[in-house]
Amino acid sequence: MKYTDYSLSDHTKIKLYKQLLLPRLIEEKMLILLRQGKITKWFSGIGQEAISVGVTAALHPDEYLLPMHRNLGVFTTRGIPLSRLFSQWQGKANGFTKGRDRSFHFGSQEHKIIGMISHLGPQLGVADGIALANLLKKNKQVTAVFTGEGATSEGDFHEALNVASVWNLPVLFCIENNGYGLSTPTNEQFNCKDLADKGIGYGMESHCIDGNNILEVYTRVNALCSDLRENPRPVLLEFKTFRMRGHEEASGTKYVPQELLDTWEAKDPITNYEAFLLASNTLTADAIALLKAKMQQEIEDELQISYQEEDLPLVPEKELADVYAPFTYIEEAPNLTTENIRLVDAISQSLKQAMEKHGNLVLMGQDIADYGGVFKITEGFVAQFGKERVRNTPICESAIISAAMGLSINGMKAVVEMQFADFVSSGFNPIVNYLAKTHYRWAEKADVVIRMPCGAGVGAGPFHSQTNEAWFTKTPGLKVVYPAFPFDAKGLLATAINDPNPVLFFEHKALYRSLYQEVPTAYYTLPLGKAALLTKGTAITIVAYGAAVHWALEVLEERPEIHADLIDLRTLQPLDTETIYHSVKKTGKLIILQEDSLFGSLASEIAALVMEECFEFLDAPVQRVASLDTPIPFSKILEHNYLPKDRFLKALLALLAY
């Protein structure tokens, strides 16, 4: 392997050697501990250290890095205490995830490192969001994100590159092309000469770099970073390297030809760099031996610290408490001046007033800028807030939701508009696996609201009419809000934006322009997790939300002899069970009306909760009324049959007569 001097000082060259050596020595120790059963799993980066170390050394300490499980050199070069890393790998409290996740599945804001999740793709979009925040802050910072050659086949890779290119984001997309995705060789994964060629389609600068040459990695990345800080743009880097051990240790390397292993072993980044330093008289053999002995002793000392740490105590209450980031609701009371406006206007007002209140709030979505969104909720926003904060996005829900997470990580707030709630399926993974789990895993908030125009009644068919809240009420870590009135929508959206947790905010399309209400003109908040009691009665409890609230109101207006407690849930997660239980204990009967289909729905969960908590107070079985368990049809006749509106009165009267 040929090393060029690159005009680096001996001090820099020795520093790079130390940074390169430490992760190798740690790995060698970890492989011993793995065989001894003292750690449970290990993803080896042996042979790839020059990439992690070189990239990290080129970035400033306050610039974000998003590594993966073969990037130990990122963590050590950033100076994370080894005892904390060792505790993390043993599932102890001094680690970063309190035993809730393993390996490098964690982040550290102190060290500006954002760790991976096993679903690799969202990492790239998160880097976009972090870089966007840097661009908006005008702080001239670069973000580097790592991925393997296998993940370049994922849709998230292409979405993230496209967004970064369209928005000119200062991101280094670092591909570690190490030959195999588990056992699948690169020639079975892609059909181009170099992965760097994939940047061409996105109008993106790209380079191939010898990933085993620490001086080349550091020098070229350092030069790129210096340029990107002044001239923001994304760059795709393909680092040519090889994975000398299995995908993880249990996998082995039997599928790799021995000749190939021998070829790459001769290119070992540490052995060759040592030879260069010795040949150039930068270090002596004795100095290298002394350095290795000192590092090995440090590793042993830090291991002893982690060994002496007691096993993680089980505190069940803490497990539940850590699912959500702490949020103290601050009431801002409605003003007395009101105007009669529609649901769509109330949401628009709330967004606009939140944008005025929070200078770090960014709106993202398809066609939301000059066009104002397909429902015109953000019409006129660009004139007031500018296109930097009201951003049209490409059609790539996964990357944009991931970018919203990146904005949150870098101190911003984000509201993402799904053009239709149905389309959120294209961004499902980052919601349920990244946003929802991040605080529980390593105490990082996800300050993101996703607006969800939803619902039937407009003849839009199976892909524009779903009310899909049950996809998310099931997932711990998400909050779900579903207002039925303009007053509630305005106040609840304001609170959702204030809340540092991820919120799915459902807005029924059929109510957008059909429903008016007197709504306070100024900014105000309403608490999440508090239902509204719309009517009072002693005969029966009706629980509903969204458009179903209005169907129930119509029935009660037409049949005034029915004396019912009608509860509008408003928030589905957290759920106001106290209000439901109190009413059921009074009336003895419960009927739940929803627009969603029946099986596995929120109605099913409420019915089960009431059976468990209020059984002795019930005078009849709990009744659920919901849409058919079919996709939503397009024809008005079929759609009307699908919805439960006409079936509700019959079920209500039967339950009253029970």
Side-chain angles (χ1 to χ4, degrees):
M1 182 178 293
K2 183 179 178 182
Y3 283 89
T4 305
D5 191 84
Y6 291 109
S7 299
L8 296 176
S9 67
D10 284 352
H11 173 78
T12 298
K13 286 185 279 189
I14 294 171
K15 183 178 181 182
L16 288 171
Y17 175 67
K18 291 177 179 177
Q19 292 170 328
L20 197 60
L21 182 60
L22 181 57
R24 173 67 64 89
L25 295 178
I26 292 172
E27 278 223 44
E28 290 174 351
K29 183 64 178 180
M30 291 305 112
L31 293 175
I32 294 171
L33 296 182
L34 183 69
R35 290 192 292 271
Q36 294 174 345
K38 293 182 178 179
I39 58 172
T40 59
K41 203 174 187 73
W42 189 256
F43 295 89
S44 176
I46 286 177
Q48 300 179 210
E49 295 94 341
I51 303 168
S52 301
V53 170
V55 171
T56 307
L59 265 66
H60 293 163
D62 58 351
E63 293 179 317
Y64 279 97
L65 286 150
L66 293 89
M68 299 185 72
H69 45 31
R70 260 175 270 284
N71 296 126
L72 173 58
V74 169
F75 297 84
T76 55
T77 303
R78 275 282 164 95
I80 288 184
L82 298 188
S83 61
R84 291 205 69 189
L85 285 176
F86 299 154
S87 291
Q88 169 67 22
W89 302 334
Q90 295 176 69
K92 292 187 174 181
N94 195 41
F96 292 85
T97 62
K98 301 178 183 177
R100 294 166 181 163
D101 214 332
R102 64 185 183 184
S103 186
F104 295 110
H105 294 204
F106 69 90
S108 169
Q109 283 285 11
E110 178 186 355
H111 300 91
K112 293 294 183 283
I113 294 175
I114 306 303
M116 59 174 290
I117 67 169
S118 293
H119 304 68
L120 308 176
Q123 181 99 323
L124 300 151
V126 172
D128 281 350
I130 291 172
L132 174 58
N134 287 333
L135 210 59
L136 295 175
K137 294 175 183 179
K138 297 180 172 59
N139 61 15
K140 296 186 177 182
Q141 290 187 346
V142 174
T143 302
V145 59
F146 293 80
T147 193
E149 82 290 329
T152 65
S153 299
E154 290 190 327
D156 289 86
F157 172 83
H158 299 276
E159 290 188 15
L161 262 62
N162 189 51
V163 169
S165 184
V166 170
W167 289 352
N168 242 12
L169 301 176
V171 182
L172 288 175
F173 292 99
C174 303
I175 305 171
E176 295 180 284
N177 186 351
N178 61 21
Y180 285 83
L182 209 157
S183 69
T184 305
T186 53
N187 67 338
E188 295 180 22
Q189 296 186 61
F190 55 86
N191 194 25
C192 53
K193 179 178 179 293
D194 296 308
L195 287 168
D197 295 341
K198 294 192 176 189
I200 296 171
Y202 301 105
M204 186 183 298
E205 177 184 345
S206 60
H207 304 275
C208 288
I209 296 176
D210 181 355
N212 284 32
N213 186 327
I214 182 62
L215 296 184
E216 181 177 345
V217 173
Y218 170 72
T219 305
R220 294 188 67 178
V221 173
N222 188 48
L224 280 168
C225 287
S226 297
D227 190 21
L228 263 61
R229 293 180 188 112
E230 298 299 326
N231 305 291
R233 65 191 187 280
V235 176
L236 179 63
L237 301 177
E238 179 186 358
F239 294 96
K240 303 285 190 178
T241 186
F242 198 75
R243 196 186 70 222
M244 295 302 296
R245 302 190 69 85
H247 170 73
E248 41 84 30
E249 286 305 304
S251 303
T253 57
K254 289 183 178 180
Y255 47 84
V256 182
Q258 187 60 46
E259 182 182 355
L260 190 57
L261 285 170
D262 293 343
T263 298
W264 279 98
E265 187 175 1
K267 298 179 181 180
D268 182 89
I270 296 177
T271 303
N272 283 283
Y273 191 46
E274 281 180 1
F276 165 76
L277 294 174
L278 288 167
S280 62
N281 295 317
T282 308
L283 280 175
T284 65
D286 287 344
I288 289 175
L290 184 63
L291 184 60
K292 288 182 178 179
K294 183 179 178 182
M295 285 186 177
Q296 287 167 338
Q297 187 60 53
E298 179 191 4
I299 291 167
E300 291 296 335
D301 292 344
E302 295 289 305
L303 271 171
Q304 289 307 313
I305 293 173
S306 68
Y307 287 157
Q308 290 166 14
E309 184 183 351
E310 293 183 3
D311 288 338
L312 191 72
L314 174 61
V315 184
E317 301 81 10
K318 188 69 174 169
E319 291 301 293
L320 291 171
D322 283 353
V323 171
Y324 295 100
F327 173 55
T328 301
Y329 169 70
I330 298 175
E331 181 180 6
E332 296 203 33
N335 63 313
L336 297 178
T337 304
T338 65
E339 57 181 333
N340 193 250
I341 59 174
R342 304 166 297 179
L343 180 68
V344 71
D345 305 318
I347 293 167
S348 181
Q349 269 189 21
S350 187
L351 272 179
K352 183 177 292 186
Q353 289 169 359
M355 289 284 280
E356 292 166 347
K357 182 180 180 66
H358 303 288
N360 64 340
L361 175 60
V362 177
L363 309 183
M364 298 187 292
Q366 296 159 27
D367 305 297
I368 70 166
D370 294 317
Y371 189 69
V374 293
F375 299 105
K376 302 302 179 185
I377 283 175
T378 54
E379 193 168 31
F381 278 36
V382 168
Q384 183 173 351
F385 304 109
K387 283 194 172 182
E388 286 193 332
R389 294 182 63 201
V390 184
R391 305 185 73 90
N392 279 340
T393 71
I395 301 175
C396 51
E397 287 81 4
S398 187
I400 296 306
I401 292 168
S402 299
M405 181 71 211
L407 284 168
S408 174
I409 285 171
N410 204 359
M412 310 286 280
K413 287 178 171 288
V415 173
V416 177
E417 177 184 300
M418 287 294 110
Q419 198 166 75
F420 292 87
D422 315 64
F423 299 164
V424 78
S425 57
S426 295
F428 192 73
N429 178 37
I431 295 175
V432 301
N433 283 316
Y434 208 121
L435 272 64
K437 295 178 171 62
T438 297
H439 187 265
Y440 175 76
R441 290 169 51 241
W442 59 278
E444 176 65 26
K445 67 184 186 305
D447 203 342
V448 178
V449 174
I450 302 174
R451 293 185 40 244
M452 302 278 283
C454 65
V458 293
F463 305 119
H464 294 77
S465 304
Q466 295 174 88
T467 174
N468 46 1
E469 64 279 356
W471 295 0
F472 305 103
T473 52
K474 166 65 181 168
T475 304
L478 300 177
K479 295 187 178 183
V480 182
V481 181
Y482 202 147
F485 294 93
F487 174 84
D488 292 336
K490 183 174 178 179
L492 290 170
L493 182 56
T495 303
I497 293 169
N498 292 339
D499 195 319
N501 293 284
V503 181
L504 281 296
F505 195 89
F506 284 82
E507 307 162 6
H508 202 289
K509 303 188 304 290
L511 301 180
Y512 267 158
R513 289 172 168 81
S514 64
L515 184 67
Y516 286 77
Q517 192 179 24
E518 289 293 325
V519 176
T521 56
Y523 179 90
Y524 63 93
T525 61
L526 293 172
L528 304 188
K530 183 63 180 174
L533 184 61
L534 302 183
T535 65
K536 294 182 179 181
T538 57
I540 197 167
T541 298
I542 304 171
V543 171
Y545 57 94
V549 171
H550 300 281
W551 303 338
L553 281 171
E554 288 177 19
V555 167
L556 294 179
E557 288 170 4
E558 293 170 2
R559 304 294 292 265
E561 72 276 13
I562 299 175
H563 300 288
D565 270 3
L566 173 56
I567 298 171
D568 174 9
L569 292 176
R570 302 197 296 188
T571 302
L572 311 185
Q573 184 63 265
L575 182 66
D576 185 1
T577 54
E578 182 180 350
T579 295
I580 297 170
Y581 297 162
H582 179 78
S583 176
V584 169
K585 289 175 181 179
K586 177 183 69 174
T587 66
K589 293 182 178 180
L590 171 64
I591 188 168
I592 308 157
L593 175 63
Q594 67 179 26
E595 181 175 334
D596 192 12
S597 53
L598 186 60
F599 189 85
S601 65
L602 188 68
S604 301
E605 187 61 29
I606 293 171
L609 286 168
V610 168
M611 289 295 289
E612 289 173 357
E613 301 296 331
C614 305
F615 181 77
E616 65 269 30
F617 296 93
L618 290 172
D619 297 323
V622 175
Q623 180 71 46
R624 299 169 297 151
V625 184
S627 293
L628 300 180
D629 284 322
T630 71
I632 305 174
F634 156 67
S635 157
K636 286 188 176 180
I637 295 173
L638 294 178
E639 183 186 59
H640 187 79
N641 177 67
Y642 166 85
L643 295 170
K645 186 175 179 181
D646 287 351
R647 297 189 290 275
F648 173 61
L649 178 58
K650 181 179 179 181
L652 178 64
L653 294 175
L655 188 56
L656 284 166
Y658 185 90

